[in-house]
Amino acid sequence: MPAADLVGREAYVRRIAERLVDGNHVLVAGPRRLGKTSLILEVLRRLRRKGLLTAYVDCLGATDVRGLGERLVDTLLENVSGVERSFEQAKAIAAGMRPTVKIRYEHVELALDLAREKNAQRFFEGALDLPRALAGRSGKRVVVVYDEFQAAGRLGARVFDVMRTRFQAQRGVSYAFLGSEEGILEELFSEKGNAFYRFA
């Protein structure tokens, strides 16, 4: 990432990182091309250096809840396996095949039940629980970033309700939500009765 993207933003990077380490959830909203993604990727890089586990999920492009869940599972498994598309390996093992990449069984063990799940909604809910499981198993804080978070709302009427229900019960997990559609995000996080009211 070009250093120029972060000029004058060191204070933001430090403040966001501190809040996430302390277990707070963070919302970063603003117009496109403002550098939100560059900012949060730098935060995640620093948190990994401190030993935290991180996940970055871009909600744009996910066409259904299973696809969004698979993006989350993949980025979480990278923490323990170091292999991109680790969930493909978990699916191969679950189906009784040999994975295409040499990978230790325990690295995908967390996701094997998910790899066998055929119901998309149950899969999605299981994926949302994975950060808590990873935090519990590793003893490390897990930080999950959802970029263009408002796009997740297009995947179903109750997607945000399901996510909030899962997130609020989790220990050892911090969330950051990024988005460019400020009106939607403000409504979601600021208006009583909405799923993420005062969550971040």
Side-chain angles (χ1 to χ4, degrees), residues 139-154:
K140 296 179 177 182
R141 176 162 293 282
V142 175
V143 174
V144 180
V145 172
Y146 285 97
D147 203 347
E148 294 299 345
F149 183 59
Q150 73 279 341
R154 300 178 196 138

Side-chain angles (χ1 to χ4, degrees), residues 16 25-29 149 175-179 182 185-186 189-190 200:
I16 291 169
H25 310 302
V26 174
L27 171 64
V28 181
F149 183 59
Y175 288 93
F177 305 95
L178 277 63
E182 296 170 78
L185 291 167
E186 187 169 334
F189 286 88
S190 301

Side-chain angles (χ1 to χ4, degrees), residues 14-29:
R14 276 206 310 267
R15 195 173 331 143
I16 291 169
E18 285 166 8
R19 287 181 181 224
L20 292 168
V21 167
D22 288 344
N24 296 301
H25 310 302
V26 174
L27 171 64
V28 181

Side-chain angles (χ1 to χ4, degrees), residues 13-186:
V13 170
R14 276 206 310 267
R15 195 173 331 143
I16 291 169
E18 285 166 8
R19 287 181 181 224
L20 292 168
V21 167
D22 288 344
N24 296 301
H25 310 302
V26 174
L27 171 64
V28 181
R32 287 190 202 280
R33 314 296 312 151
L34 202 62
K36 297 181 299 295
T37 300
S38 297
L39 186 86
I40 205 69
L41 291 177
E42 175 61 18
V43 169
L44 294 182
R45 190 182 68 75
R46 292 183 190 191
L47 295 180
R48 280 193 299 274
R49 249 190 3 225
K50 288 183 173 186
L52 281 74
L53 304 180
T54 66
Y56 171 83
V57 181
D58 188 348
C59 298
L60 278 180
T63 55
D64 56 24
V65 290
R66 187 175 184 99
L68 185 60
E70 287 204 10
R71 288 177 182 214
L72 174 60
V73 173
D74 263 332
T75 187
L76 285 167
L77 290 185
E78 273 182 55
N79 284 282
V80 290
S81 71
V83 177
E84 278 192 69
R85 302 298 298 159
S86 297
F87 191 56
E88 296 299 323
Q89 315 309 321
K91 286 194 282 193
I93 293 169
M97 298 183 289
R98 296 178 64 137
T100 55
V101 175
K102 191 171 182 185
I103 188 166
R104 295 213 313 266
Y105 177 82
E106 63 268 24
H107 287 162
V108 293
E109 183 189 2
L110 268 171
L112 285 178
D113 285 341
L114 277 174
R116 297 182 183 104
E117 180 57 68
K118 300 284 186 264
N119 178 282
Q121 188 62 35
R122 281 198 301 268
F123 174 86
F124 181 55
E125 292 174 16
L128 295 176
D129 287 338
L130 197 56
R132 182 190 60 191
L134 188 55
R137 176 181 285 207
S138 66
K140 296 179 177 182
R141 176 162 293 282
V142 175
V143 174
V144 180
V145 172
Y146 285 97
D147 203 347
E148 294 299 345
F149 183 59
Q150 73 279 341
R154 300 178 196 138
L155 304 180
R158 296 200 58 252
V159 168
F160 289 139
D161 293 330
V162 170
M163 293 175 97
R164 171 66 189 256
T165 300
R166 287 313 215 250
F167 296 169
Q168 69 187 11
Q170 295 182 353
R171 299 281 170 268
V173 185
S174 300
Y175 288 93
F177 305 95
L178 277 63
S180 56
E181 295 182 30
E182 296 170 78
I184 295 172
L185 291 167
E186 187 169 334

